[in-house]
Amino acid sequence: MRACRWRWIIAGLGAALLCAGPPLFAAAGGTNAHPSGIDCGACHLAGSEAARGQASKLVASQESLCVSCHKRAVELSHPSGFAPRRSLPAEYPLDWKAELTCSTCHLAHGREPGLLRGKRRARDLCLACHDQAFFGGMKDAGSSLVISGHIDVGHARGTIDIDRHSLHCLGCHAGSHSGGGSVSVNRAGVMRHSSGSAPHPIGISYRDASRKGGLRSEFELAQKKIVLSDGRISCVSCHEVYKKDHGRLVVPMARSELCLSCHAK
């Protein structure tokens, strides 16, 4: 995997997450266990009586419960809450509905940083479920995805004033990039692709830009599944991340459909 140049701005969300079924349950009675200071009844239907037999019954989906603390953790992350088509190793269990959830990779009541199951990390963790051919078909051979199962929205650091999601993207795409997807950003925050197509500002407040007129409402953007990074225009506003076709546009460019998703005629 080609090393990213800005690793100091990339950190996985240490993630989240609540037990899903008997194989996933671990008693949280000890100190320093995740989540701390939260009553069992906030997640488990059985409340303080939750035990292996009924721990799988939650008051809501894991994804809903996790984001109550880990804001936007599942918005730009490895997909979850679905039944996978392939078999997963026993160390990465599904929930009682045979669905992949946050707890497939994370120990809800763990104590280690990141709460990750097992000893695998980065590409090795991905290859526990995906074969090499899965990544081989991607433009960058998967190097953008195997760093973490989440784009960090809470720990990025930097000196340039752009949104945190874009900072993560620039960790691999700034300058020369083996997949042909290199970009540059000038002092005004205008991002340019090496192909020369579609220069566009990133990191600016969509709400502030909307006050000048000519832009659609944030509600309309949400209907098109266009993501704003903490209210800012971002690389991920136009590009999908956790897809086999990494970097695919969220809306096709034909007849300027992507542009017109934000810009009113």
Side-chain angles (χ1 to χ4, degrees):
M1 181 181 72
R2 186 176 180 271
C4 295
R5 301 182 346 173
W6 293 2
R7 289 192 178 277
W8 52 272
I9 63 173
I10 300 171
L13 272 180
L17 314 147
L18 304 165
C19 74
L24 307 181
F25 180 76
T31 59
N32 301 320
H34 172 279
S36 60
I38 298 177
D39 184 82
C40 299
C43 302
H44 297 279
L45 284 173
S48 60
E49 302 300 318
R52 291 184 182 276
Q54 68 271 48
S56 62
K57 302 301 187 287
L58 305 174
V59 299
S61 71
Q62 283 195 54
E63 286 68 31
S64 297
L65 294 172
C66 294
V67 297
S68 65
C69 293
H70 301 271
K71 304 299 182 184
R72 301 176 69 182
V74 299
E75 187 173 62
L76 288 160
S77 303
H78 186 287
S80 61
F82 70 96
R85 296 179 181 178
R86 67 184 71 204
S87 297
L88 271 60
E91 63 186 306
Y92 301 110
L94 305 177
D95 75 350
W96 64 280
K97 303 186 299 299
E99 291 186 349
L100 184 152
T101 66
C102 303
S103 287
T104 298
C105 293
H106 297 281
L107 291 164
H109 299 302
R111 294 175 174 81
E112 297 298 322
L115 307 177
L116 284 170
R117 293 180 177 275
K119 301 298 183 182
R120 295 172 180 259
R121 298 294 182 268
R123 178 176 289 274
D124 285 342
L125 176 58
C126 298
L127 290 175
C129 299
H130 299 283
D131 56 30
Q132 186 60 53
F134 177 82
F135 298 105
M138 298 180 182
K139 294 178 181 178
D140 63 352
S143 63
S144 51
L145 300 186
V146 300
I147 299 166
S148 171
H150 305 267
I151 283 190
D152 182 22
V153 296
H155 300 90
R157 303 187 303 277
T159 58
I160 52 177
D161 185 24
I162 59 176
D163 66 282
R164 293 166 175 175
H165 287 113
S166 293
L167 278 173
H168 184 117
C169 298
L170 289 170
C172 287
H173 290 279
S176 177
H177 186 267
S178 60
S182 59
V183 300
S184 62
V185 183
N186 66 19
R187 292 182 180 180
V190 176
M191 185 272 299
R192 298 180 182 277
H193 299 84
S194 59
S195 63
S197 64
H200 199 283
I202 57 174
I204 65 172
S205 166
Y206 189 83
R207 189 165 299 175
D208 289 348
S210 296
R211 293 192 180 103
K212 300 177 182 178
L215 294 177
R216 301 188 186 279
S217 69
E218 292 181 42
F219 174 78
E220 290 178 279
L221 267 61
Q223 295 297 103
K224 290 277 191 177
K225 299 188 183 301
I226 293 176
V227 174
L228 297 176
S229 175
D230 294 327
R232 295 185 178 195
I233 300 167
S234 170
C235 296
V236 299
S237 299
C238 295
H239 297 280
E240 294 184 312
V241 181
Y242 289 95
K243 300 289 184 180
K244 187 169 184 177
D245 187 8
H246 173 74
R248 182 177 65 185
L249 294 174
V250 297
V251 177
M253 185 60 84
R255 298 184 178 180
S256 300
E257 185 180 352
L258 175 61
C259 301
L260 293 174
S261 297
C262 296
H263 297 271
K265 292 182 179 179

